[in-house]
Amino acid sequence: FYHMDLYGSKERFDIFPEEPSGQGDRSLGDTRRESALSSEKFQCSQEAGYDLEKEVAELAKMYGLDEDREKELELLGGHREMVESRRPPARTEKAGSQGSVYNASKSISPVKDQCQSTKQQGLHGEASHDEDQSKGRAEDEAESHTWSREGLSSGGVSDEWSSQAVSEEEEAADVFCSTCKIPIRAFDKLFGEHKDHEVAQLPSAVESEKEEIHKNMCKLEEQIAQMENFASHLEEIFITVEENFGRQEQNFEVHYNDAVQVLAQKYEEQLEALGEEKRQKLEALYGQLVSCGEHLDTCKELTDATQELYLENDKATFMKIFFFYNYRLEEFLKKEVDLELSTPPEFEERVIDFSEVEELMNSINTIPAPCAPVINPQAPSAATGTSLRVCWGLFSDDTVEWYQLCYKPVSNERRSDEQAEHTLKVKETYCTITNLLPNTQYEFWVSAVNASGISPPSERAVYVTAPSPPIIKSKKIRSCENAALVCWESRDINPVDSYMVELSKLTEEENGDTITESIVGIPNCEVLIHLQPTQSYCICVRALNLGGSSERSEPVLIHTTGTYFCLNEDTAHPLLAILDDGFTIACDQLENPECDLPVYDNSFTRCIGILGSLIPFPGKHYWEVEVEEDTEYRIGVAFENTPRHGYLGANNSSWCMRHIITPSRHKYEFLHSGMTPDIRITVPPRRIGILLDYENCRLSFFNADIAQHLYAFNSHFQHYVHPCFALETPGMLRIHTGIATPPWTAL
């Protein structure tokens, strides 16, 4: 393997080679010559009457050097002394030479003293000054040449002097020449060779160059990381090649041993068969040989007996024994003598079946059938409402061409074996199955397949899809300024584990809604949420199970500007109709209030009324009812168990305001347990406001058009109440909810 030092050596970080020490000496000499030329130009400009201070002020303003203007003037006035002080001293002790150079570079006379001495000297002083300056330049060049030569012989002193000179140049530099790519001073921009060059502020130039270096370093580090990753990958390939070689060698050895074993078995079988054939041949020949010997003995006996008979002289004796021997001889001659070999001496040519050996030899380069894969448990985010992502692994070195994934739904109603099975052919070790049922369990198992066969199936794993999005019952939502009761229903047959409600506060500044709160672990299909007043919220519901969360339900908007409730249709009298807006009730006929129309178990039978949904929030709740002047009605609140066969206000479980039309006037009653106070209302209200105050145990009625208080019940409400409405003559009532409590209700 290649050693990793090849990719991690420190030489790859040496991307900026160090400059030779002699280069700093040459730049120092060039800097002295540039400073001398600048001094000459400065003196010439003074002799020509050039307004130097004005030019420096404009230059300082251009490059943002107003704060250092006085320092620039001093620098211009004491430039000649700075040139004299920058000459390298004679080579003495190391520390002493450095200290003298540093002190000399810092001794600069002010501009005002230089100008006064220049005026007093006159032309004679200027001429002598020119001679001194020429001599100084010659001495500078000679000393610079001597100093650089000595620096070559003694590298330590030269390096220290060059580094000290460079540091002084950096301290004096305040702008950057973009043309020459070096830092310069503002004075050099004005009078030096950089006068026509493009310059920039030194900090901005440094930041720009640093940014460029940072980009290049990032690119270089990227390449280094890529090469290191590639080198690591190569090492892994090296290891993989070794492992594959070992497996193939082992596989070849196993197949070779099997082939040798088969050949040995074939040899033993053929040798045993050949020996059996030899035994049979020898036994047959031996039997034939024995038979031939017996036949020869009989022939010899008969021959001897016949010869003796033939030599018999006594005729009587001859005749007596002749017939006996003659009969034996005839019988013997009648027998056929087998003179053919009973078995040939050649053996059968036996053909050895090498097909099994050839099959073994051909299978040396093949791979064995894979082992059973291991299917993974369900991941937290592996399910949606209609899909599942199943993953598995193969914890062996077997080669796999593809996988066979099988699944079927799990049902409690039918046996699992009776469910239809589905099979998929997958190349990877994961698969996403779609078109599934929401909130349903599925059983999965997988097998690995290659050219040698299929593996045993894995252990079976049960996955579950996510639930379907719930359906929010928007008509059953109730809210007030501080809370809301949200109800929904599930679309799944199987039960879910819990629900989660997501709140989004809507604001004008934000583009779209932002989730501000999530309420989790809700076991039922309703939740009471505490909200902030005078806000608008977007509410969604998710269902959760072991497979994850469902998609969001369709959002609903809830406004906390007032109390919202809906009308409970199950409590409506058969003659009472609810219009399409859901908040307007109407009645066309009253001939037979106790009619035979179908009546729900919870609906009113005598009073043509209806209950609103329960207001289960503490605090104050306000709504308004728009009425017609020629309609008789009852409006108020009632408990859930108020009698359905009676009238509103006629029992102790309801409180209501009743309007009756008499021939002389409009009569208004405020009924509870059938009793009403004697109150006269001069202005018939067209829009009645109802204020329910749980905390202060008070139910108030108002003429909302003129902000007039009509009456208030003071009663301790033992339970939460329902708004209630009833018609006693044909007409309609229109209910308005979600209205903020008017401030005049507190007066």
Side-chain angles (χ1 to χ4, degrees):
F1 303 115
Y2 294 108
H3 201 276
M4 283 307 297
D5 289 344
L6 176 62
Y7 314 108
S9 61
K10 66 177 183 178
E11 283 78 12
R12 61 187 177 89
F13 294 103
D14 298 336
I15 58 174
F16 300 109
E18 298 181 357
E19 296 182 354
S21 59
Q23 185 176 357
D25 296 2
R26 290 193 299 270
S27 61
L28 180 61
D30 295 340
T31 305
R32 291 201 187 100
R33 285 191 293 272
E34 290 176 7
S35 301
L37 292 175
S38 300
S39 300
E40 291 178 3
K41 293 182 179 180
F42 169 69
Q43 187 175 1
C44 294
S45 62
Q46 283 186 339
E47 294 174 357
Y50 184 78
D51 192 356
L52 179 61
E53 294 184 0
K54 183 177 180 181
E55 183 69 21
V56 171
E58 292 178 357
L59 185 62
K61 184 177 181 181
M62 180 184 302
Y63 295 103
L65 304 175
D66 293 337
E67 298 178 357
D68 300 330
R69 183 177 179 182
E70 294 181 0
K71 294 182 180 179
E72 292 296 334
L73 292 175
E74 293 176 1
L75 181 63
L76 293 175
H79 180 70
R80 282 191 295 272
E81 296 184 5
M82 183 178 66
V83 171
E84 295 294 331
S85 62
R86 283 196 173 186
R87 294 179 181 176
R91 186 155 56 96
T92 57
E93 294 294 329
K94 183 176 181 180
S97 61
Q98 291 181 356
S100 61
V101 171
Y102 182 80
N103 295 330
S105 64
K106 294 298 181 179
S107 59
I108 301 174
S109 60
V111 176
K112 293 182 179 180
D113 297 341
Q114 180 69 26
C115 294
Q116 291 177 1
S117 62
T118 303
K119 291 180 180 179
Q120 293 175 1
Q121 287 176 359
L123 296 176
H124 178 72
E126 291 176 359
S128 61
H129 178 70
D130 291 341
E131 294 178 358
D132 295 339
Q133 188 173 7
S134 300
K135 293 180 180 180
R137 285 198 302 270
E139 293 176 358
D140 287 341
E141 292 177 357
E143 291 181 3
S144 175
H145 179 70
T146 304
W147 182 259
S148 65
R149 186 173 63 251
E150 292 177 355
L152 293 174
S153 61
S154 57
V157 178
S158 176
D159 291 342
E160 293 178 0
W161 164 248
S162 60
S163 62
Q164 185 175 356
V166 170
S167 64
E168 292 177 359
E169 290 293 332
E170 291 178 353
E171 290 177 1
D174 45 19
V175 295
F176 181 76
C177 179
S178 303
T179 305
C180 300
K181 302 297 182 182
I182 58 172
I184 62 173
R185 299 170 302 166
F187 178 84
D188 296 335
K189 164 63 179 174
L190 183 60
F191 299 107
E193 61 180 6
H194 307 281
K195 184 174 183 180
D196 299 330
H197 294 178
E198 182 181 355
V199 297
Q201 291 291 332
L202 189 59
S204 61
V206 170
E207 291 298 327
S208 176
E209 294 300 328
K210 284 185 177 180
E211 184 178 356
E212 186 67 25
I213 292 174
H214 179 69
K215 290 180 180 178
N216 294 332
M217 287 295 294
C218 291
K219 292 180 181 179
L220 186 61
E221 290 297 331
E222 244 178 65
Q223 292 182 3
I224 292 172
Q226 291 177 358
M227 294 304 298
E228 288 178 347
N229 293 335
F230 182 69
S232 300
H233 179 64
L234 287 178
E235 288 188 349
E236 293 176 358
I237 296 300
F238 272 105
I239 297 173
T240 304
V241 169
E242 290 289 342
E243 292 177 351
N244 292 339
F245 171 76
R247 286 197 298 269
Q248 290 296 331
E249 184 182 14
Q250 184 180 3
N251 186 29
F252 178 79
E253 183 179 357
V254 170
H255 283 76
Y256 174 77
N257 292 335
D258 293 342
V260 170
Q261 186 177 358
V262 170
L263 286 174
Q265 184 178 358
K266 293 289 183 182
Y267 171 77
E268 294 293 337
E269 291 176 356
Q270 294 295 330
L271 188 61
E272 184 179 357
L274 187 63
E276 180 66 21
E277 185 180 0
K278 172 187 174 183
R279 184 185 63 78
Q280 292 177 358
K281 286 180 178 296
L282 292 177
E283 287 180 355
L285 291 174
Y286 179 76
Q288 192 175 12
L289 182 62
V290 171
S291 176
C292 183
E294 292 176 353
H295 190 77
L296 287 175
D297 291 342
T298 303
C299 288
K300 289 181 179 181
E301 180 184 357
L302 289 175
T303 301
D304 293 340
T306 303
Q307 188 175 2
E308 290 178 359
L309 179 62
Y310 181 77
L311 297 177
E312 182 65 40
N313 296 325
D314 187 2
K315 295 181 179 178
T317 304
F318 177 81
M319 292 304 294
K320 284 182 180 180
I321 61 176
F322 170 73
F323 290 102
F324 174 74
Y325 282 104
N326 189 38
Y327 176 77
R328 284 185 62 190
L329 183 60
E330 289 178 356
E331 290 296 328
F332 180 76
L333 292 176
K334 287 180 181 179
K335 294 181 180 180
E336 293 183 1
V337 180
D338 187 10
L339 300 179
E340 298 291 334
L341 294 176
S342 60
T343 179
E346 294 84 8
F347 286 84
E348 296 181 7
E349 289 193 8
R350 301 181 178 275
V351 179
I352 301 177
D353 185 12
F354 289 101
S355 60
E356 186 176 357
V357 179
E358 290 178 357
E359 184 178 353
L360 287 173
M361 296 301 295
N362 293 332
S363 65
I364 289 179
N365 293 328
T366 61
I367 54 177
C371 300
V374 178
I375 196 165
N376 299 339
Q378 183 173 356
S381 59
T384 65
T386 58
S387 67
L388 285 170
R389 181 181 174 88
V390 184
C391 301
W392 59 89
L394 189 68
F395 297 97
S396 65
D397 297 328
D398 299 333
T399 302
V400 178
E401 295 182 3
W402 51 276
Y403 295 92
Q404 178 178 291
L405 178 64
C406 303
Y407 69 95
K408 63 181 180 180
V410 178
S411 176
N412 296 327
E413 298 178 359
R414 300 172 56 188
R415 293 181 56 188
S416 178
D417 297 338
E418 298 178 0
Q419 297 289 338
E421 294 184 3
H422 304 272
T423 303
L424 298 175
K425 184 178 179 180
V426 185
K427 288 287 187 181
E428 296 80 11
T429 57
Y430 59 89
C431 181
T432 300
I433 300 93
T434 57
N435 299 325
L436 302 179
L437 298 177
N439 197 29
T440 305
Q441 290 183 342
Y442 288 87
E443 193 175 33
F444 291 88
W445 64 97
V446 64
S447 301
V449 182
N450 62 12
S452 300
I454 184 171
S455 73
S458 66
E459 295 290 334
R460 302 199 175 194
V462 177
Y463 282 51
V464 60
T465 53
S468 301
I471 301 175
I472 298 179
K473 300 178 181 179
S474 56
K475 293 184 178 181
K476 293 188 177 182
I477 294 178
R478 288 154 282 175
S479 64
C480 65
E481 293 183 352
N482 300 310
L485 182 64
V486 183
C487 305
W488 60 87
E489 62 182 2
S490 175
R491 295 193 297 182
D492 298 322
I493 299 176
N494 300 325
V496 300
D497 295 341
S498 63
Y499 295 93
M500 177 175 63
V501 176
E502 297 178 350
L503 307 179
S504 304
K505 184 187 295 185
L506 302 180
T507 58
E508 296 180 358
E509 293 79 7
E510 297 177 353
N511 296 325
D513 51 1
T514 303
I515 296 178
T516 57
E517 184 179 0
S518 294
I519 304 174
V520 298
I522 304 172
N524 303 320
C525 291
E526 65 176 17
V527 63
L528 180 63
I529 309 171
H530 295 281
L531 305 174
Q532 298 177 358
T534 65
Q535 300 291 336
S536 297
Y537 292 89
C538 178
I539 296 182
C540 300
V541 182
R542 295 178 186 262
L544 290 88
N545 64 4
L546 293 176
S549 65
S550 69
E551 299 293 331
R552 289 184 181 180
S553 65
E554 290 295 328
V556 294
L557 294 178
I558 293 180
H559 305 281
T560 56
T561 54
T563 300
Y564 287 86
F565 59 85
C566 57
L567 299 178
N568 192 349
E569 298 180 4
D570 296 339
T571 63
H573 190 275
L575 294 178
L576 195 66
I578 302 175
L579 301 187
D580 294 339
D581 61 357
F583 292 96
T584 302
I585 60 175
C587 180
D588 297 333
Q589 57 178 352
L590 298 176
E591 287 81 4
N592 187 13
E594 298 180 1
C595 57
D596 297 332
L597 294 174
V599 178
Y600 296 103
D601 295 338
N602 198 29
S603 59
F604 286 94
T605 58
R606 175 176 294 181
C607 177
I608 306 178
I610 187 174
L611 293 180
S613 55
L614 185 70
I615 303 178
F617 315 111
K620 296 181 179 181
H621 306 279
Y622 180 82
W623 65 94
E624 294 180 354
V625 181
E626 188 176 348
V627 300
E628 296 177 346
E629 190 174 353
D630 56 350
T631 301
E632 296 182 356
Y633 53 84
R634 296 174 186 239
I635 56 175
V637 298
F639 287 141
E640 172 69 29
N641 60 354
T642 188
R644 302 297 193 265
H645 58 277
Y647 289 95
L648 296 175
N651 48 59
N652 61 357
S653 60
S654 59
W655 298 258
C656 70
M657 171 184 176
R658 182 187 182 190
H659 173 230
I660 305 173
I661 301 176
T662 63
S664 59
R665 64 185 178 89
H666 293 272
K667 184 178 180 181
Y668 295 91
E669 297 178 345
F670 296 91
L671 298 172
H672 177 62
S673 299
M675 301 179 63
T676 178
D678 187 10
I679 296 177
R680 291 180 177 270
I681 299 175
T682 57
V683 180
R686 299 295 302 274
R687 193 179 182 98
I688 302 172
I690 302 174
L691 177 62
L692 173 63
D693 190 350
Y694 279 121
E695 296 179 355
N696 296 320
C697 304
R698 188 178 180 89
L699 177 66
S700 304
F701 296 86
F702 301 89
N703 185 343
D705 292 332
I706 59 176
Q708 179 186 10
H709 179 261
L710 301 178
Y711 184 75
F713 289 101
N714 293 310
S715 177
H716 179 67
F717 301 106
Q718 298 178 353
H719 309 285
Y720 291 119
V721 297
H722 296 256
C724 59
F725 312 91
L727 289 171
E728 297 185 346
T729 60
M732 66 174 55
L733 298 176
R734 184 172 288 107
I735 300 103
H736 298 274
T737 62
I739 302 173
T741 304
W744 42 262
T745 58
L747 300 177

